[in-house]
Amino acid sequence: MKKFLSTYKSTIILLASIIVGTVVGLIFKEKATVLAPLGDIFLNLLLVVIVPLIFISITTAVAKMKEPKRLGKIVGTILLVFIITSIISVLVGFASTYFSKLVKPEDTSKIMEVFDEGEAEETEELSIAQRTVNLLTVNDFSKLLSRDNLIALLVFSVLFGIAINMSKEKADPVIKFLESANVIINNIIKIIMYYAPIGLGCYFASIIGSLGASIAVGYLKTFVLYTVVSLLFFAIMYTIYALIAGGKKGIKLYWKNVIPATLTSLATCSSAASIPVNIECAKKIGVPDDIAETTIPLGTSFHKDGSIIGSMFKIMFLVCLFGTPLSVPFAFQVIGIALLATLLITGVPIGGGTISEMLIITMLGYPVAALPILTIIATIIDAPATMLNVVGDTASSMLVSRIVDGRGWLDKKKTK
């Protein structure tokens, strides 16, 4: 019992704080929002370390690679794993909504009445080429210091690490500085996590207390079904991924260490805010440092199991709402749109979610008035979607480790 409490002490404390926050939110409702500032402090502390954490972690990992070929192998493997798992996610989203009518046609007028007031703001139309440029680069160094441009920061960090590697012994002082900075930034995260029980508890109380308005039947059904699918996907698919990556031992280590990242993602609804905790969870599982510190940040931007399944729910909600026949060619189109729309969520620094939802509407030929409907769906599924986005990166880092370091990668980690 003592060993159990020692092993899971931090997890139990975090879980207890969230349960207490939930109860407070349910009892005091809107009055619980008075606790929001205490939760915001925790969230802000996490978000403020994101930029230096990503830059220092990725740059250090790339710079310290004694075998430059390993970097290419890791990045290539990451992309392969992300593509395969994303396709699996979108197929699961399609299968789980195909036989379920998320909203009945008779509900259409009532839902449209609620969101017909006001017009959606116009977004600047950009070509695919220009969106790609904005995704990968910024036109001023200072913009790299904003978490709105994390993908550009990732690209710069990799380039900076490669440049250090190319400089060989002349870059040794820089590597030592980065190693020291890496230790410091991780200690900052440890300090912040001491406040986690209070911050997460208050954050949960505030969020739940603010949910006062009743949700339409269609939204409620969507939320319940999405939550069930998320929990099943979480329990089944990530167990399979862990089994493929590390056998029975991999399953045991995954479920033993993934809970802190799960709770943080549910409480903050932010993949970026979960990066520090998620990297730590991956390392505790046994994922090599360079793979964990590369896969998790890249996954935060490019790998979103929960969001892909969510995009499919949004699309199928509209399909049911407008009574669109779901033929085989249209089904393939729907799957492709879900993948593309999710990519564009991170493809545009500001307003990416709105633009991706507009993409869904325009490519399916639905009226722009349907935009608020998708916004509400995105809001109600945010927590479980973020959970899958985050813990999916943990499972992916295990798969990457299996491919890069071979079958015995867990044992190799222990011998180092």
Side-chain angles (χ1 to χ4, degrees):
M1 186 63 179
K2 288 183 178 180
K3 185 177 180 181
F4 175 83
L5 291 175
S6 175
T7 303
Y8 294 98
K9 181 174 66 175
S10 59
T11 300
I12 293 172
I13 292 174
L14 284 177
L15 184 58
S17 68
I18 290 176
I19 292 174
V20 171
T22 301
V23 173
V24 170
L26 290 173
I27 294 175
F28 294 97
K29 298 182 179 179
E30 289 83 358
K31 294 181 180 178
T33 57
V34 72
L35 298 174
L38 295 176
D40 291 340
I41 288 174
F42 174 69
L43 181 59
N44 290 342
L45 287 172
L46 280 180
L47 293 177
V48 81
V49 300
I50 295 304
V51 170
L53 174 68
I54 290 178
F55 174 72
I56 293 172
S57 297
I58 293 183
T59 302
T60 304
V62 174
K64 289 175 63 179
M65 285 184 180
K66 296 179 180 179
E67 304 174 41
K69 291 182 180 179
R70 180 175 171 84
L71 171 61
K73 187 176 182 181
I74 289 176
V75 173
T77 304
I78 289 172
L79 293 177
L80 176 64
V81 169
F82 285 176
I83 291 171
I84 293 174
T85 54
S86 294
I87 292 174
I88 291 173
S89 297
V90 78
L91 291 177
V92 168
F94 179 76
S96 59
T97 55
Y98 181 76
F99 298 103
S100 177
K101 207 171 186 62
L102 295 179
V103 59
K104 297 179 181 180
E106 55 262 31
D107 294 334
T108 302
S109 58
K110 184 180 292 185
I111 293 175
M112 293 303 291
E113 283 176 8
V114 175
F115 299 101
D116 199 27
E117 299 177 5
E119 298 180 357
E121 294 182 6
E122 295 185 0
T123 55
E124 182 182 356
E125 293 188 3
L126 299 174
S127 65
I128 294 177
Q130 187 57 50
R131 285 178 180 170
T132 303
V133 171
N134 294 345
L135 167 66
L136 300 176
T137 61
V138 292
N139 58 12
D140 190 280
F141 179 80
S142 63
K143 293 182 180 179
L144 289 175
L145 305 180
S146 169
R147 60 186 174 88
D148 290 330
N149 299 308
L150 288 184
I151 300 177
L153 176 64
L154 289 170
V155 173
F156 180 79
S157 299
V158 172
L159 292 176
F160 196 82
I162 293 174
I164 292 175
N165 229 315
M166 293 171 61
S167 302
K168 298 181 179 179
E169 66 276 357
K170 292 183 178 179
D172 288 345
V174 177
I175 294 177
K176 290 181 179 179
F177 169 78
L178 288 172
E179 288 176 337
S180 298
N182 207 14
V183 173
I184 293 170
I185 200 71
N186 279 287
N187 283 330
I188 291 175
I189 293 168
K190 288 181 181 179
I191 295 172
I192 294 173
M193 291 309 295
Y194 288 134
Y195 179 68
I198 297 174
L200 292 180
C202 292
Y203 200 94
F204 243 75
S206 174
I207 292 297
I208 292 179
S210 63
L211 296 179
S214 59
I215 303 175
V217 174
Y219 294 129
L220 180 60
K221 187 175 182 179
T222 299
F223 170 73
V224 171
L225 181 59
Y226 185 89
T227 301
V228 171
V229 170
S230 296
L231 292 175
L232 291 174
F233 193 95
F234 178 59
I236 298 173
M237 292 310 303
Y238 295 144
T239 298
I240 293 174
Y241 292 165
L243 176 65
I244 294 172
K248 293 181 179 179
K249 185 178 181 181
I251 295 175
K252 183 179 179 181
L253 288 170
Y254 179 79
W255 289 111
K256 178 181 178 181
N257 294 287
V258 80
I259 301 302
T262 303
L263 296 177
T264 302
S265 64
L266 285 171
T268 63
C269 288
S270 170
S271 296
S274 302
I275 289 176
V277 180
N278 206 14
I279 290 177
E280 187 65 25
C281 289
K283 290 181 179 179
K284 286 182 178 179
I285 290 171
V287 175
D289 292 357
D290 54 356
I291 293 178
E293 292 170 358
T294 305
T295 306
I296 302 299
L298 283 174
T300 300
S301 296
F302 294 105
H303 181 242
K304 295 179 178 290
D305 289 337
S307 295
I308 289 175
I309 296 174
S311 290
M312 184 57 69
F313 268 71
K314 293 176 185 177
I315 292 173
M316 294 303 287
F317 192 96
L318 293 180
V319 168
C320 294
L321 185 65
F322 293 102
T324 307
L326 196 60
S327 61
V328 174
F330 185 66
F332 279 105
Q333 181 185 355
V334 161
I335 291 172
I337 292 172
L339 285 168
L340 183 59
T342 305
L343 175 61
L344 289 183
I345 288 177
T346 53
V348 181
I350 300 174
T354 301
I355 293 177
S356 70
E357 289 159 6
M358 281 298 298
L359 176 72
I360 290 174
I361 291 171
T362 54
M363 291 190 73
L364 290 174
Y366 293 134
V368 179
L371 178 60
I373 295 175
L374 301 189
T375 302
I376 289 295
I377 294 175
T379 301
I380 62 178
I381 67 171
D382 192 24
T386 304
M387 177 190 72
L388 293 185
N389 291 343
V390 171
V391 297
D393 294 339
T394 319
S396 294
S397 70
M398 295 177 69
L399 292 171
V400 173
S401 300
R402 170 66 178 83
I403 297 172
V404 173
D405 289 336
R407 180 175 296 181
W409 64 274
L410 280 171
D411 297 324
K412 289 179 183 178
K413 175 73 175 182
K414 282 192 170 184
T415 58
K416 288 182 180 179

